[in-house]
Amino acid sequence: MANNQLAPNYANILHQLADGAVAKEVRPLPGSFSNETTLLGYETAVGPEQVVVRRYAVFGDYDRGEKAEREFKTLVLCQQHRIPAPMPLLLDRSGALLGSPGIVTSFVPGQQLIQPTDEASWVKELGQTLAKIHTIPLTDNELRFLLDGNNEVVWFLRNEKSKESMCEHPDGRSTWQAVHDLLPTIQPVPPALMHIDYWLGNILWQEGRITAVLDWEEASFGDPGYDVAYLRLELAMLGGEPLADAFLAAYELEYGRPVVNLAFWELAAAARFEGMIGEWQTLQPGVYDETAVQQNFRNLLASALQRAGSIMEKNSD
């Protein structure tokens, strides 16, 4: 198998979960963009059950065992603070049980929601849920397993190939330069739990409510403004700045204070999109007009660059 992975031993997994459990269904789940995520259905004496087996692909120089432990412990933290997320059931740091490092979680029903019938309630729920994530108190114990988010999200400043790729975009060079120049001047804020990949593809809905925020493998501590900026960019691409602004308003109302460094984090988040706009568009063929998505992205980017420019002028006075 790819990445030197062995096939999971589903019988041994079920033995860990419930005595006498018998596998009834094994199938890949949709939306597994970078990792292998499989639904495992089984029968017990009390009835049918479903769990999710999540195994991590090789990506960069990340330690997959460390990644598994980080996501597992973050899901424990989410459960403690009633954040909608899967319940962690098994951690396999070495890969001895799953064939490669990974975790087993509960299966949470729900669907991605990209075109809601009630847009106002949709962005309100997105903002309130993210604010609740950011208000989870962090102790030294959590800081030991979480990544340094502020450092993680500006990875492109340390990668020459990423810089070259960004500069192929019409706004890429100015975006890279603004992030580079503003980084030493951003306002310090108390570190919060950061998801880093809080976008619509990682959020499940049912009956108008969020049932689960998925994919916590990059869970970090740092400035929560990045999570806000990342989803703002996606919402701006879908519905323009008014939609992004409505989300921001809902978030700040729940969080209780304004987002500082927003322009900076929007530019940092844009680096992730600038090389992915085409790929992101293919995930939703025929749903949105590609030209409109591109233009909406550039509009918010231009706004962020203008706001960042004002900050740099003020810093130079």
Side-chain angles (χ1 to χ4, degrees), residues 8 10-11 13-14 17 21-30 37-44 48-53 107:
Y10 292 111
I13 294 172
L14 292 178
L17 295 173
V22 178
K24 293 295 184 180
E25 179 185 20
V26 178
R27 61 178 172 86
L29 287 171
T37 308
T38 303
L39 176 71
L40 173 58
Y42 60 97
E43 193 78 30
T44 70
E49 298 285 349
Q50 292 178 314
V51 295
V52 174
V53 179
F107 172 77

Side-chain angles (χ1 to χ4, degrees), residues 130-207:
L130 185 57
K132 289 173 183 176
I133 291 169
H134 290 162
T135 55
I136 292 176
L138 298 179
T139 67
D140 288 343
N141 181 56
E142 285 81 45
L143 297 181
R144 278 192 285 270
F145 66 79
L146 295 171
L147 296 171
D148 180 342
N150 289 11
N151 182 62
E152 287 292 314
V153 299
V154 294
W155 52 273
F156 54 90
L157 294 180
R158 304 184 294 271
N159 188 307
E160 192 62 31
K161 287 186 177 180
S162 295
K163 180 181 179 181
E164 293 174 2
S165 177
M166 281 183 65
C167 288
E168 292 177 2
H169 186 278
D171 305 307
R173 189 177 300 277
S174 55
T175 299
W176 189 97
Q177 194 64 51
V179 174
H180 176 272
D181 294 344
L182 276 174
L183 180 59
T185 70
I186 62 173
Q187 296 182 45
V189 299
L193 176 63
M194 298 170 63
H195 185 282
I196 287 190
D197 200 17
Y198 190 78
W199 72 293
L200 300 179
N202 280 331
I203 301 171
L204 298 181
W205 298 76
Q206 194 171 62
E207 298 180 354

Side-chain angles (χ1 to χ4, degrees), residues 213-251:
V213 179
L214 309 174
D215 196 2
W216 293 85
E217 65 184 71
E218 295 181 281
S220 308
F221 67 91
D223 189 333
Y226 178 84
D227 281 343
V228 178
Y230 191 57
L231 184 58
R232 261 178 62 82
L233 273 173
E234 184 182 10
L235 293 177
M237 286 191 287
L238 300 183
E241 289 188 66
L243 186 62
D245 290 343
F247 159 69
L248 176 63
Y251 171 86

Side-chain angles (χ1 to χ4, degrees), residues 166 169 171-172 175-176 269-277 297 301:
M166 281 183 65
H169 186 278
D171 305 307
T175 299
W176 189 97
R272 199 164 182 174
F273 279 101
E274 281 175 343
M276 293 177 60
I277 287 288
F297 174 79
L301 195 54

